Amino acid sequence: MDPFAHAGALADAYRAVDWSRSPVGDPSTWSPTLLQALETAWSSRFPITLIWGPELVLLYNEAYVALIGDKHPAALGERTRTVFPEAWDGIAPLLEQATRGEATWSADALIPLVRHGHLEDCYFTFSYSPVRSAAGVIEGVVDISVETTRQVVDARRLALLSELGIALSGSASATQVAQRAAEVLAGDPADLPALALRLPRSTPAAEAVDEAGAGAPVLPAAPSAPWDGDRPLLEPVDGGVLAWLPVRVTGARSERGGHLVVRLPPALAADPDHLAFLALVARAVERALDAVAVLEAERRAVADERRLSEVLQHSLLTPPAQPAGVAVAVRYEPAGEQASIGGDWYDAFVLPDGDLVVAIGDVAGHDRDAAALMGQARNLLRGIAYATQAAASRVLSLLDEALEGLGLDTTATAVVARLGPPVDHDGAQGRSLRWSNAGHPPPLLLGADGRVRLLDHRSDLLLGLDPAAARADHEVLLAPGDTLVMCTDGLVEHRRQPLDVGLGRLADLLYGQQDLDVEILCDRLVAGSERHTEDDVVVLVVRVQAGQGSESAAVRRVTSRPTGSSPSA
């Protein structure tokens, strides 16, 4: 009777073995337990191995052949230690445990194998179980196993790609993309034992990020043979294979694009799945570089728009007049970062009769439309005041009529004040200030003694609602050293702070600051306020100089400093 009649496709391989030289001996001497175990294994399509006798000899079924590759057929009837010397240190303790009668279980265990001419990292889920005779004697071990190399490797690569995507998101520059990519990819030496990422020359702030991986050798800058850079390239080199993958950036203009070069690990086959994984790595880097390129373009567009807005704003807001005996300082702070332009405005000019007119206002909006309306309203007010030399209330009424008559559909707040010529005040030269308020935050008066007074006379209706609305004038005498402070609501009012609280904080900031230079005082007010960054801010300061007009009449340049950057007193 043929003992291998049920061995299927392995029958001839079993018959070819010289069993008389095998530790298990001639098949005619095999125990019923071994024969029954072999029948069970041969009838299964699941990989099953019998590791038999004291010498741990291998006998297996057809499904097991795929797991050991070119070790078959020499492995059949051979000692396990002889067949798997590369894996012996890992499996020997488990076999010993099974021969003592204790079954083992290993999930996704790394078992290095030489089965295709080179050492590979292979993963298996398997169990060693003792095989007992009818008398209870352990004659051998049965190994039921399944290879999970693909699942383990795919999960590892998927985790790396996920980590890479998270790390690259939000990168601010191409250099940061390369650095973050190198840090993540260095964490997978099993797939990427050595790599270099070199960015396209035209990439903004491009820098090469060289090898990842501990002790990785320096990789060449280009393949030894000509490469068009359009598709992946595998290049055999001493000690392995290099994979070259293009790294492009949308819209990048360069004679030579970037690339990712990877020394393939000898323990993993250079199969299509591995190359597809490397291509996904390159694509992740490309997407991050594309996002950076878009961000850089947006930054340039914002910077260009900001420069244009600043030019427009400064063309609309001219430097204030500086008549003898009066010091005037202004600050303008835009609402946002993107466009330094809005509806807040100021003015300070001298009438034909020598009086100084100072005005501050706020046209609804924080964009170019608001700035355009602001420019028209400011110029109308200046023209009306200069031509009529009328009282402040009359100037506001005429401006309101002009806004309606010219079809300028907007609302606005404003304070117009007129500083008269020097008059005697307790033996010194004071000045009369007459003003009118159209719905604007009230001015503050910082006295020469350091005390602060809110000029909170009732304000009148906003501009743009009713041109026939009654408007009133108010008057106060500014003594030498007194300082008038006017501001727009962005300095004192926002969603978390009502106007009266903001005005109180501003008064606290002003208290005792009567000796500060008006320019420094402006900076202190802007820097010390809890301003709301979604609103423009204008501060206008007018001081009646003590003495005989020693202040230079030269026009000061209007400055715009970021909040918090005030010079020292």
Side-chain angles (χ1 to χ4, degrees):
M1 179 179 177
D2 183 2
F4 307 120
H6 298 142
L10 295 186
D12 289 341
Y14 269 92
R15 296 186 187 105
V17 176
D18 184 358
W19 293 106
S20 63
R21 302 183 61 181
S22 171
V24 296
D26 189 272
S28 62
T29 67
W30 290 358
S31 69
T33 303
L34 174 55
L35 292 173
Q36 181 60 48
L38 275 174
E39 288 290 338
T40 301
W42 290 337
S43 64
S44 174
R45 300 181 64 179
F46 208 84
I48 298 177
T49 314
L50 298 177
I51 305 172
W52 212 258
E55 299 291 327
L56 301 176
V57 175
L58 283 177
L59 301 104
Y60 45 84
N61 66 359
E62 182 181 349
Y64 188 73
V65 173
L67 272 61
I68 61 174
D70 56 17
K71 289 182 180 293
H72 174 77
L76 196 59
E78 187 58 79
R79 295 171 178 83
T80 303
R81 183 167 188 170
T82 302
V83 176
F84 299 113
E86 68 275 22
W88 185 249
D89 289 344
I91 66 176
L94 301 176
L95 284 170
E96 181 182 357
Q97 180 179 333
T99 58
R100 293 197 308 266
E102 301 175 22
T104 70
W105 171 259
S106 301
D108 297 330
L110 173 61
I111 306 294
L113 292 181
V114 178
R115 56 180 181 175
H116 298 113
H118 63 275
L119 185 66
E120 300 177 38
D121 286 346
C122 304
Y123 296 86
F124 297 90
T125 293
F126 61 96
S127 174
Y128 288 156
S129 302
V131 180
R132 292 180 171 87
S133 67
V137 177
I138 296 176
E139 293 188 16
V141 173
V142 61
D143 171 19
I144 301 177
S145 61
V146 60
E147 183 171 3
T148 59
T149 301
R150 178 53 56 204
Q151 293 92 318
V152 170
V153 171
D154 285 350
R156 181 179 70 212
R157 291 172 178 172
L158 181 61
L160 181 79
L161 289 170
S162 177
E163 182 183 359
L164 182 63
I166 293 172
L168 297 184
S169 64
S171 297
S173 68
T175 299
Q176 193 174 63
V177 169
Q179 291 171 341
R180 290 180 175 182
E183 291 173 0
V184 172
L185 299 178
D188 185 11
D191 289 302
L192 307 164
L195 66 92
L197 173 61
R198 300 185 177 101
L199 303 184
R201 291 177 178 175
S202 61
T203 304
E207 294 180 4
V209 175
D210 284 332
E211 285 64 47
V218 175
L219 299 179
S224 57
W227 179 46
D228 59 13
D230 290 334
R231 58 185 60 83
L233 171 70
L234 293 179
E235 179 187 20
V237 294
D238 292 340
V241 176
L242 294 181
W244 299 85
L245 296 102
V247 175
R248 308 178 188 88
V249 179
T250 302
R253 298 177 180 176
S254 62
E255 296 179 0
R256 180 179 174 189
H259 64 261
L260 173 69
V261 55
V262 180
R263 181 180 292 277
L264 299 183
L268 286 175
D271 57 20
D273 288 337
H274 194 184
L275 296 180
F277 162 68
L278 296 179
L280 289 174
V281 170
R283 296 297 83 76
V285 173
E286 286 182 346
R287 286 193 296 271
L289 292 174
D290 285 341
V292 167
V294 171
L295 182 62
E296 291 288 343
E298 290 175 349
R299 287 172 179 165
R300 289 192 295 271
V302 168
D304 291 343
E305 184 176 357
R306 187 175 183 87
R307 284 192 293 270
L308 177 62
S309 298
E310 288 174 348
V311 171
L312 175 60
Q313 193 77 42
H314 286 294
S315 70
L316 295 174
L317 300 177
T318 54
Q322 299 281 355
V326 178
V328 182
V330 295
R331 291 292 181 271
Y332 171 79
E333 294 285 338
E337 291 298 325
Q338 182 166 348
S340 302
I341 194 166
D344 289 20
W345 57 274
Y346 64 85
D347 205 352
F349 55 94
V350 177
L351 296 177
D353 63 4
D355 284 1
L356 173 68
V357 173
V358 291
I360 192 167
D362 184 359
V363 172
H366 310 293
D367 53 20
R368 291 180 180 177
D369 291 340
L373 288 169
M374 173 271 289
Q376 294 179 75
R378 176 180 179 271
N379 290 336
L380 281 171
L381 185 145
R382 172 179 278 224
I384 291 169
Y386 193 89
T388 65
Q389 300 188 63
S393 60
R394 180 59 178 160
V395 169
L396 287 173
S397 294
L398 292 173
L399 174 61
D400 213 354
E401 294 175 10
L403 291 176
E404 182 183 52
L406 296 174
L408 301 181
D409 185 17
T410 186
T411 58
T413 66
V415 173
V416 177
R418 182 167 177 171
L419 188 65
V423 295
D424 287 338
H425 177 74
D426 294 335
Q429 295 291 303
R431 292 176 182 260
S432 174
L433 180 77
R434 296 179 176 87
W435 80 95
S436 184
N437 188 339
H440 198 81
L444 293 90
L445 181 60
L446 169 61
D449 58 1
R451 291 183 293 181
V452 179
R453 173 185 172 189
L454 185 65
L455 303 181
D456 57 348
H457 299 275
R458 182 181 63 84
S459 64
D460 300 320
L461 192 65
L462 278 69
L463 300 170
L465 297 179
D466 180 9
R471 302 194 178 278
D473 288 293
H474 314 284
E475 182 175 4
V476 67
L477 184 66
L478 301 188
D482 284 353
T483 305
L484 177 72
V485 176
M486 305 164 73
C487 68
T488 54
D489 59 0
L491 188 72
V492 292
E493 183 180 28
H494 55 75
R495 287 173 293 183
R496 294 175 298 174
Q497 175 179 284
L499 179 61
D500 57 345
V501 174
L503 288 170
R505 282 184 50 82
L506 185 61
D508 291 340
L509 288 172
L510 282 171
Y511 186 82
Q513 304 300 312
Q514 70 278 9
D515 295 328
L516 280 184
D517 177 83
V518 290
E519 298 287 346
I520 297 174
L521 182 59
C522 273
D523 289 327
R524 289 281 179 88
L525 296 179
V526 173
S529 68
E530 292 185 356
R531 58 170 298 210
H532 184 25
T533 57
E534 293 180 4
D535 204 354
D536 305 330
V537 167
V538 169
V539 177
L540 190 154
V541 174
V542 180
R543 176 174 294 160
V544 175
Q545 298 283 14
Q548 297 298 318
S550 58
E551 181 76 10
S552 171
V555 173
R556 293 171 179 261
R557 181 174 62 88
V558 178
T559 60
S560 179
R561 297 188 179 94
T563 300
S565 59
S566 61
S568 59

